């Protein structure tokens, strides 16, 4: 028996349309499976980059200092660093200028810095005394230990003295880090330059950048070439630790993705198996009417190709939505659409559907049509 | 009669039904395995994050303001008291002793070498420190910083004149691992000839220092058993609202809140307890490490929670499609039992009963599989065995049953739509 193409198309169309309910269930299951696979592959691909941004909670991981022959840096070093790094990989740069000043007759270390970079470069700083108002834009920040030892409270006006120069400012918040900062005073960079009489100078640049250790080392070399007289290096102990943590997170997500994909795959296969086994009477009838096994495989594969591709495309869209939802909850960022998933997901959907159809088909076509139609199986 | 017919109907063809039950079990098992993994990974990652270094520092309480700038101490004469070395034992005797993973004392002296003045830091590298109930506790710089990159080897504590040299000092003095390094110790009549065992590069302050066994630095400082500071690495819980409140105004907490805070391993609570047992010191959380750790641990826990939630709903949906297919394929027997008088309610209960059984089997299989997968991950990633928590079993089984029932609630309503006369007539 040979089909004309139009007969084949009609058979296929009828076969899909006559069983709307079951086709819908099959389509829904495969769509679900495809969307989960699409979402988790996206998550796995993204998790490294997204977690590495989260790990920037550790703050600055890149240091630029004056080279051997220089006393200080200039704004050029900062410009050079900015120009060498794409904006999305630079979390923040803090330029610092240090000197020793007198406050109420006691000497302490004062630092000039950009207050608006604190959140980006040293996000772990604990500020208090400003009623949780965030990082102040003006005034001075005083280390918590220094404040206690000097008897200064937030809101007090203090006078920083260096040689004959004086700078009055209100203490807008206290700083606590557990490190040297607890005994220092911080003022806006411009005011510090004037107080220290060191216009245009920078002692130290701290940057928080995203990227693997090798990239940071490459950046350091490039910067040293671009701006001669500077010495740049990543804070290795942080970068290396981050690398180790990232690797473990990625491995755990990998295991989770494999498990989820496997379980989706298996439950999908089983559902499809059950669906095709139900059609054993139909298969037996087709066989009794003279369809060859090959012809029937072709028919089923064509059916599966249609539902699989449809489910794959739907699943791709749903998976993108799911990935977006997951990453919004986790990292508060959107995902970028991965074009290479476009052929991949429908292909996987067709593959699962084909496996789910051909295995039971084989089992059914082995049976004798007469027995099936009589109702013995 | 009906009960007997039903029983016979549902026991016939039991192989296929067992297959279906096992399939549901498989789905829930995988989800359960993931759940198990989630519960364990948070703890493991928390331990792992300790590799970033100490999160607490003990310093003497003093009125002096430190004046260190660019490696130069502008106030060198101010002796800032010290932390009594013999009291460190108490770190392993406080309530949170098991959370104290490592600690090391530091004693810093400026000495002169052939290439200029250098900072010599006396510390412990890897020292057996017998404490209450744990004879094998080892601690020191190495346990504090397991991920430091050392070229050559770590020095041995027993060899007093050995050193671990920071990379920048090593470059300045032109020494490498294996070289000798002569330094002039103030107040000593002879030069010390240190054996450089290793060079460490951290990209931070350590690169400018030379680490030596504590005894050598004590020889310079002269006895009294005081050290400049002690670094402590403790396992902590991420800060929550209570911990933040306690940090800013502990006085405003109620007695009950204070108790909860005191008895939780927040970094500030551990610092507070250490201050209580060691007089004259200030214990400060190193925010760079302790804060960031909280952020990262919370993020990883959230990641695992989301993954598990998706896995559970996935297996619920898997149950859904399986159940739909199963009911469709058993239409005939459903119609038959209905025809002889079984109520919809009874049939639905029977199907849900089957699914409950599948959930229980799935939960148990999943627990075992989950523990297995957990151990695999633990050994591969964290080089330690995961703690098996039998207390989780009821939770896991309940969750598996919930997934299995949740997935079948909608398909089971298909039973209502089975019209006995139509189905039995073969339409």
């Amino acid at each position: 028996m040979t089909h004309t193409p139009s007969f084949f198309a009609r058979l296929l169309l009828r076969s899909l349309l006559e069983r709307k309910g079951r086709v819908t269930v099959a389509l829904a299951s495969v769509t679900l499976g495809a969307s989960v696979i699409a979402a988790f592959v996206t998550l796995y691909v993204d998790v490294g980059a997204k977690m590495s941004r989260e790990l920037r909670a550790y703050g600055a991981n890149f240091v630029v200092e004056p080279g051997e022959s220089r006393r200080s840096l200039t704004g050029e070093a900062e410009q050079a660093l900015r120009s060498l790094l794409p904006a999305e990989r630079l979390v923040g740069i803090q330029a610092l200028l240090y000197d020793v000043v007198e406050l109420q007759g006691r000497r302490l270390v004062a630092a000039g810095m950009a207050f608006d970079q604190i959140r980006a470069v040293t996000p772990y700083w604990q500020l208090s005394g400003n009623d949780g108002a965030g990082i102040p834009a003006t005034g001075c920040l005083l280390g918590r230990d220094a404040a206690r030892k000097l008897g200064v409270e937030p809101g007090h006006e203090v006078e920083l003295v260096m040689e004959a120069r004086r700078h009055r400012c209100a203490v807008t918040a206290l700083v606590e880090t557990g490190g040297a900062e607890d005994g220092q005073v911080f003022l806006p960079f411009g005011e510090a330059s004037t107080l220290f009489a060191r216009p245009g100078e920078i002692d130290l640049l701290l940057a928080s950048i995203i990227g693997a250790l090798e990239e940071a080392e490459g950046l350091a070399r490039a910067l040293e070439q671009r701006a001669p007289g500077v010495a740049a290096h990543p804070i290795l102990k942080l970068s290396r630790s981050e690398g180790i943590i990232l690797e473990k997170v990625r491995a755990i997500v990998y295991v989770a993705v494999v498990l989820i994909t496997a379980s989706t795959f298996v439950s999908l296969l089983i559902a499809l198996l059950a669906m095709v086994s139900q059609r054993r009477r139909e298969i037996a009838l087709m066989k009794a009417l003279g369809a060859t096994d090959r012809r029937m495989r072709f028919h089923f594969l064509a059916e599966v190709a249609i539902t699989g591709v449809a489910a794959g495309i739907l699943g791709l869209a749903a998976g993108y939505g799911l990935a977006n939802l997951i990453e919004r909850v986790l990292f508060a960022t959107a995902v970028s659409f991965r074009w290479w998933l476009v052929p991949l997901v429908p292909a996987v959907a067709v593959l699962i559907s084909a496996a789910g159809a051909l295995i039971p088909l084989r089992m059914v076509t082995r049976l004798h049509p007469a027995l099936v139609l009589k109702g013995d199986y | 009669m009906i009960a007997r017919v039903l029983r016979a109907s549902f026991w016939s063809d039991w192989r296929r039904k067992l297959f279906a039950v096992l399939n549901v079990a498989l789905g829930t098992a995988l989800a359960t395995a993931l759940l198990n993994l989630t519960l364990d990974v948070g703890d493991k990652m928390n331990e792992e994050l300790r590799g970033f270094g100490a999160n607490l520092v003990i310093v003497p309480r003093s009125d002096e303001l430190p004046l260190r700038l660019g490696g130069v101490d502008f106030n060198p004469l101010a002796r800032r008291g010290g932390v009594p070395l013999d009291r460190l034992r108490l770190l392993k005797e406080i309530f949170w002793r098991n959370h104290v993973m490592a600690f090391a004392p530091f004693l810093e002296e400026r000495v002169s070498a052939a290439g200029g003045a250098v900072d010599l830091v006396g510390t412990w590298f890897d020292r057996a420190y017998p404490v209450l109930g744990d004879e094998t506790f080892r601690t020191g710089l190495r346990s504090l910083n397991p991920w430091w990159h050392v070229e050559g080897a770590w020095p041995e504590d027993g060899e007093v004149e050995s050193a671990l040299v920071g990379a920048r000092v090593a470059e300045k003095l032109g020494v490498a691992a294996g070289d000798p390094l002569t330094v002039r110790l103030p107040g000593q009549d002879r030069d010390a000839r240190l054996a450089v065992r290793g060079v460490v590069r951290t990209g931070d302050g350590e690169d400018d220092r030379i680490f030596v066994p504590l005894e050598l630095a004590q020889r310079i400082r002269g006895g009294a058993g005081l050290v400049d500071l002690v670094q402590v690495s403790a396992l902590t819980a991420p800060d929550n609202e209570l911990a933040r409140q306690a940090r800013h105004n502990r006085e405003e907490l109620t007695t009950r809140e204070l108790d909860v805070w005191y008895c939780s391993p927040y970094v500030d609570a551990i610092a507070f307890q250490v201050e209580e047992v060691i007089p004259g010191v200030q214990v400060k959380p190193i925010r760079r490490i302790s804060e960031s750790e909280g952020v990262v641990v919370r993020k990883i826990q959230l990641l695992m929670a989301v993954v598990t939630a998706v896995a559970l709903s996935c297996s619920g949906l898997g149950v859904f499609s399986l159940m739909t297919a199963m009911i469709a394929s058993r239409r005939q027997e459903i119609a038959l039992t209905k025809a002889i008088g079984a109520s919809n309610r009874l049939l639905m209960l029977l199907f849900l009963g089957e699914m409950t059984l599948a959930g229980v089997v799935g939960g148990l299989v999943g627990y075992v599989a989950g523990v297995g997968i957990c151990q695999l991950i633990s050994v591969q990633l964290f080089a330690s065995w995961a703690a098996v928590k039998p207390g989780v079993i009821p939770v896991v089984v309940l969750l598996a049953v919930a997934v299995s029932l949740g997935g079948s609630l909608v398909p089971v309503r298909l039973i209502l739509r089975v019209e006995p006369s139509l189905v039995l007539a073969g339409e």
Side-chain angles (χ1 to χ4, degrees), chain A residues 273-348:
Chain A
L273 272 169
M275 278 175 223
V276 176
S277 329
Q278 277 166 47
R279 294 171 67 186
R280 57 190 185 279
R281 273 162 191 280
E282 183 192 334
I283 295 165
L285 187 64
M286 280 165 88
K287 249 186 114 168
L289 290 175
T292 59
D293 286 0
R294 204 168 143 260
R295 168 74 55 196
M296 223 133 50
R297 266 204 301 280
F298 189 66
H299 172 84
F300 267 75
L301 279 181
E303 256 186 63
V304 150
I306 295 173
T307 52
V309 167
I313 290 166
L314 288 175
L316 197 64
Y320 179 66
L322 183 62
N324 234 327
L325 184 75
I326 292 177
E327 299 205 2
R328 210 163 272 286
V329 169
L330 273 179
F331 305 114
T333 55
V335 292
S336 48
F337 191 77
R338 319 245 161 214
W339 290 105
W340 49 264
L341 282 175
V342 173
L344 191 73
V345 173
V348 170

Side-chain angles (χ1 to χ4, degrees), chain B residues 292-325:
Chain B
S292 322
E293 196 167 278
V295 171
V296 173
V297 166
R298 261 197 304 272
K299 194 57 65 176
I300 291 172
Q301 279 170 346
L302 188 64
L303 174 75
M304 293 313 291
V306 167
V307 167
T308 310
V310 173
L312 284 177
S313 38
C314 250
S315 73
L317 288 163
V319 171
F320 173 87
S321 59
L322 192 71
M323 195 64 182
T324 312

Side-chain angles (χ1 to χ4, degrees), chain A residues 22 25 29 32 36 40 43 47 51 54-55 57-61 63 65 98-100 106-109 124 126-128 144-146 148-150 176-179 182-183 233-238 240-242 244-245 248-249 251-253 255-256 259-260 262-264 266-267 270-271 274-275 278 322 326 329-331, chain B residues 16 19 23 26-27 30 33-34 37 41 45 48-49 51-52 57 61-69 74-75 147-149 168 201-204 206-207 247-248 282 284-289 291-293 295-296 299-300 302-304 306-307 310-311 314 317-318 321-322 324-326 328-329 331-332 373 377 381-382:
Chain A
R22 290 190 207 165
V25 172
S29 324
L32 174 79
V36 168
F40 275 87
L43 178 66
V47 78
M51 267 317 275
E54 295 296 327
L55 282 169
Y58 282 95
N61 56 355
V63 178
E65 294 166 310
Y98 288 104
D99 226 318
V100 176
R106 306 263 309 253
R107 295 204 300 162
L108 82 169
V109 174
Y124 48 86
Q126 303 289 305
L127 297 183
S128 59
R144 200 184 60 163
D145 288 351
R148 204 190 57 235
K149 289 168 187 174
L150 296 165
E176 193 233 321
T177 70
D182 289 0
H233 61 89
I235 299 183
L236 288 168
K237 61 178 177 187
L238 273 191
R240 210 174 276 131
S241 306
E242 274 178 31
I244 295 173
I245 290 291
K248 304 209 166 184
V249 170
I252 290 167
V253 172
V255 172
L259 280 182
I260 288 181
S263 82
T264 313
V266 169
S267 68
I270 288 161
M275 278 175 223
Q278 277 166 47
L322 183 62
I326 292 177
V329 169
L330 273 179
F331 305 114
Chain B
R16 205 146 69 89
F19 187 57
N23 288 332
L26 181 73
L30 279 165
L34 265 174
L37 190 63
V41 160
M45 282 312 272
E48 205 63 20
L49 284 169
F52 275 93
V57 59
R61 207 170 265 286
S62 95
D63 268 345
E64 296 289 338
L65 281 169
L67 267 184
R68 244 193 115 93
L69 193 50
F74 285 86
N75 202 1
W147 294 337
W148 273 12
H149 185 69
R168 287 221 277 204
R201 186 186 287 278
T202 68
D204 211 1
E206 293 85 5
D207 288 1
R247 180 180 312 158
H248 291 304
Q282 195 185 357
K284 303 201 282 186
I286 302 175
R287 299 293 180 197
R288 167 164 218 174
I289 303 297
E291 273 299 299
S292 322
E293 196 167 278
V295 171
V296 173
K299 194 57 65 176
I300 291 172
L302 188 64
L303 174 75
M304 293 313 291
V306 167
V307 167
V310 173
C314 250
L317 288 163
S321 59
L322 192 71
T324 312
M326 201 162 89
S329 71
R331 258 163 66 235
Q332 298 241 328
I373 294 168
I377 292 181
L381 278 185
F382 304 116

